[in-house]
């Protein structure tokens, strides 16, 4: 069993992960619209992984015999000036998610819920990868994005990203 405070913050985190999926999907639509189909694919894969992140929390809450409460998902439909700004927004967003996960970890410690604290390690590690992978893409766009031939090759490379279903075990 998990207590009400822990249950509430985990449900909020489900909402944030699904919000992330929505944001990445909106970015994917924008990128497809400007012809960057590879980066559009990359963000679409990320969107699917965010749904997995939400589902890991969803299953955990159910496993602990607590109530899942799904709240409305609200995002701002932002305008972007190009792929560099998309990467910058992703990085900013992922840093916000990292802080949010940190808060979950702190709360579980305060509530002496060590099982959930242990569970949250998966997300703490995942956030290191999330921040680092977008910074790599950002630096590539900054280095190669201004010339058409190299932009084409970079976009092609991003289009090769494969979706792998994320689970608590993976
Ligand atoms: Fe679920 O890590 Fe990104 O937002």
């Amino acid at each position: 069993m998990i207590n009400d405070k822990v249950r509430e913050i985990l449900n909020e985190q489900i909402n944030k992960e699904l919000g992330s999926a929505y944001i990445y999907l909106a970015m994917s639509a924008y990128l497809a619209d400007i012809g960057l189909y590879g980066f559009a694919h990359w963000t679409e894969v990320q969107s699917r992984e965010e749904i997995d992140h939400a589902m890991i929390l969803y299953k955990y809450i159910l496993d602990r015999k607590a109530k899942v409460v799904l709240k409305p998902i609200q995002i701002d439909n932002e305008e972007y000036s190009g792929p560099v700004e998309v990467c910058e927004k992703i990085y900013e967003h992922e840093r916000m998610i990292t802080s949010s996960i940190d808060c979950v970890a702190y709360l579980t410690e305060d509530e002496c819920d060590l099982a959930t604290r242990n569970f949250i390690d998966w997300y703490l590690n995942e956030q290191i990868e999330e921040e680092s992978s977008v910074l790599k893409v950002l630096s590539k766009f900054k280095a190669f994005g201004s010339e058409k031939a190299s932009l084409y090759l970079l976009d092609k490379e991003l289009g090769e990203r494969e979706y792998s279903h994320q689970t608590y075990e993976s």
Side-chain angles (χ1 to χ4, degrees), residues 67-158:
K67 190 169 174 173
V68 169
V69 180
L70 298 175
K71 297 178 183 167
I73 301 166
Q74 278 171 339
I75 62 159
D76 298 326
N77 273 301
E78 298 202 53
E79 303 284 329
Y80 305 103
S81 59
V84 166
E85 194 182 9
V86 171
C87 292
E88 287 168 347
K89 294 277 184 188
I90 292 174
Y91 183 54
E92 193 183 305
H93 178 75
E94 289 301 343
R95 285 179 59 199
M96 183 278 287
I97 294 291
T98 301
S99 303
S100 176
I101 297 287
D102 285 342
C103 290
V104 178
Y106 275 120
L107 180 83
T108 56
E109 280 178 18
D110 276 354
E111 297 300 312
C112 299
D113 183 345
L114 298 185
T116 308
R117 174 64 191 84
N118 182 48
F119 165 77
I120 284 301
D121 272 344
W122 187 92
Y123 288 87
L124 291 170
N125 291 326
E126 177 66 15
Q127 282 312 118
I128 295 169
E129 195 190 317
E130 298 273 277
E131 290 185 20
S132 150
S133 72
V134 71
L135 283 179
K136 283 180 193 146
V137 177
L138 174 61
S139 65
K140 286 181 184 177
F141 271 113
K142 282 188 170 165
F144 309 114
S146 55
E147 206 265 312
K148 280 192 177 162
S150 53
L151 176 62
Y152 171 79
L153 290 174
L154 172 54
D155 190 55
K156 198 165 179 287
E157 178 190 312
L158 295 173

Side-chain angles (χ1 to χ4, degrees), residues 20-21 24-25 27-28 31 37-53 86-87 90 94 122 126-127 129-138 140-141 153-166:
S20 296
Y24 280 110
L25 200 56
M27 287 170 168
S28 182
L31 293 162
Y37 297 107
F39 195 18
H41 168 80
W42 191 97
T43 46
E44 189 193 324
V45 168
Q46 186 62 37
S47 176
R48 295 174 70 188
E49 289 194 0
E50 297 298 351
I51 294 172
D52 292 341
H53 298 172
V86 171
C87 292
I90 292 174
E94 289 301 343
W122 187 92
E126 177 66 15
Q127 282 312 118
E129 195 190 317
E130 298 273 277
E131 290 185 20
S132 150
S133 72
V134 71
L135 283 179
K136 283 180 193 146
V137 177
L138 174 61
K140 286 181 184 177
F141 271 113
L153 290 174
L154 172 54
D155 190 55
K156 198 165 179 287
E157 178 190 312
L158 295 173
E160 285 161 11
R161 178 177 181 182
E162 283 181 19
Y163 165 72
S164 70
H165 179 55
Q166 306 242 298

